[in-house]
Amino acid sequence: MPDPTDLVVVYSARSLDNATEIKTYLLHHFTQKEVDKFYLLLQSFEKIIVVFPGLYPKSIKNIKIHRAVLSKQLSVFYTVSKNTVSIVSIIDNRMAYSKWP
């Protein structure tokens, strides 16, 4: 298991696009308050995952990828390597299973 002090969280281009889409949706249908909650969820997730990278179960579809359910609507898919936690994708849990990474 990697030393938590050495781990760095890195977002892929796909996950950044996902976050932007979610932010746009929240601003269009809700308020800035929900966007702020979304970012707080991601920040809390980063703090936890650096300390406990194996905390969340591996995805059913790909055993190299972990799936963290952050809320009823939000999941984060990530991989762990020696020094990096790579965020692969951020999805709405209501998406079709075929769209999972």
Side-chain angles (χ1 to χ4, degrees):
M1 184 81 57
D3 182 8
T5 58
D6 295 338
L7 290 176
V8 177
V9 177
V10 177
Y11 285 82
S12 69
R14 177 182 181 176
S15 66
L16 292 174
D17 288 343
N18 297 147
T20 302
E21 289 172 10
I22 292 169
K23 177 186 172 188
T24 302
Y25 174 82
L26 291 173
L27 283 174
H28 186 280
H29 294 284
F30 300 100
T31 65
Q32 183 63 42
K33 183 178 177 181
E34 281 73 22
V35 173
D36 295 341
K37 285 182 185 179
F38 168 64
Y39 284 119
L40 281 174
L41 261 177
L42 288 178
Q43 288 174 350
S44 297
F45 168 72
E46 286 180 22
K47 290 177 184 176
I48 292 169
I49 211 63
V50 168
V51 178
F52 304 105
L55 178 65
Y56 296 99
K58 294 185 178 182
S59 172
I60 296 167
K61 193 169 181 180
N62 184 339
I63 62 169
K64 294 180 182 179
I65 297 176
H66 293 263
R67 177 183 179 210
V69 179
L70 303 185
S71 71
K72 183 178 174 182
Q73 298 84 11
L74 187 68
S75 286
V76 176
F77 291 87
Y78 69 96
T79 60
V80 180
S81 65
K82 186 175 181 178
N83 298 330
T84 308
V85 174
S86 300
I87 308 300
V88 177
S89 183
I90 304 169
I91 67 157
D92 185 321
N93 290 329
R94 296 165 287 191
M95 288 177 66
Y97 181 73
S98 63
K99 298 194 183 219
W100 286 20

